[in-house]
Amino acid sequence: MEGMYVVCKEHVEIAIDRFVDDFEDAPDVVDLKETHFAAWNPPPTCEEKGCDKHGEFLIV
Ligand SMILES: [Zn+2]
């Protein structure tokens, strides 16, 4: 999805920086462990290149 990143804990700050660069606005950080989406399944792994850790946070 456009303007959304799913990342591991390690890459949260990088994803926030990228979001601010791309959209010139501060993102919300959603903990995927505490939030459930009815119509959307987050990707299981971090979207950061070369990272295959579990995706824990949604940057949106
Ligand atoms: Zn990662």
Side-chain angles (χ1 to χ4, degrees):
M1 233 181 285
E2 196 74 25
M4 295 171 58
Y5 313 119
V6 173
V7 291
C8 66
K9 203 171 188 173
E10 207 173 295
H11 285 121
V12 166
E13 280 177 37
I14 287 172
I16 291 172
D17 284 351
R18 180 173 309 136
F19 190 101
V20 171
D21 279 354
D22 287 353
F23 302 105
E24 296 179 353
D25 201 3
D28 290 320
V29 179
V30 178
D31 188 335
L32 291 173
K33 285 197 298 291
E34 293 172 5
T35 310
H36 218 81
F37 297 91
W40 179 72
N41 286 314
T45 55
C46 178
E47 292 182 76
E48 205 50 46
K49 234 181 258 165
C51 184
D52 58 3
K53 290 202 173 75
H54 184 62
E56 286 184 73
F57 296 94
L58 173 67
I59 312 298
V60 64

